[in-house]
Amino acid sequence: MHTNLSVNINKIATLRNARGGNCPDVLKAARDIESFGAEGITVHPRPDERHIRREDVHNLSAMLTTEFNIEGYPSPEFIDLVCSVHPAQVTLVPDAPDQLTSNHGWDTLTHRAFLTDVVARFKECGIRTSIFISAEERFADGAREVGADRVELYTGPYAALYPADPARAIEPFLQTARHCRDLGLGLNAGHDLSLENLGFYHEQIPWTDEVSIGHALICDALYLGLRETVSRYLALLRS
Ligand code: PXP
């Protein structure tokens, strides 16, 4: 069992965009993160391009040597962009265009017809699909029904409860993760994972295929530097 670390580099683009120009350089950061051992790079291009721009997506795609994961709401523009760059994985997120950050997963039952079409479209392009869901078995069932390869469990509620009660925080995730394993669905996790809470999550659910981590990792890098930060996250996934 091996859990890949995919680093979400949106925040690096946010910093760059704050001043114009190209500092910090998003492409260099991605290349460095790969060289420090991360197994993937994630971006979440939004329609307003407030962090990752369409141009970044094309440039990253031409350069990356690890798995490229593009996440976002599957609008017609997003679908065209993803199919044109052909990443290893697309993660479908039910975000409104102006949403600050993802704060819920798909209701895969209510949106079954829409997701079935979208997943089929990505399958035609040969791209692995993952659906962002809350840790509930019924949403994993729905993801399976619409033909997704994986789900990404929304770990925000885990991270919020972890400091007070780790056992209770992990409970629904463990149950849903076991269910995914029984269904033969691949399993990702992401949102608010950190050096504090990742170790326990991984110890409890070691069959997780990939964790996607951005905010806390980039914050840690301010103090530790990117190389040391990436190696600390990897160490938690390898222990
Ligand atoms: N997974 C999804 C679907 C997301 O939208 C995000 C945030 O862009 C993440 C993972 C990473 O979350 P965080 O930045 O809190 O690590």
Side-chain angles (χ1 to χ4, degrees), residues 8 10 44 71 91 93 101-102 132 152 190-193 212-215:
N8 180 318
N10 289 350
H44 190 147
E71 56 181 37
T91 301
V93 182
T101 182
S102 315
F132 191 54
E152 177 181 328
H191 224 281
D192 298 317
L193 292 173
S212 161
I213 307 182
H215 186 80

Side-chain angles (χ1 to χ4, degrees), residues 167-184:
R168 205 153 64 81
I170 200 72
E171 220 284 314
F173 290 85
L174 198 48
Q175 192 181 327
T176 310
R178 286 184 179 133
H179 189 61
C180 290
R181 191 170 54 184
D182 293 345
L183 291 174

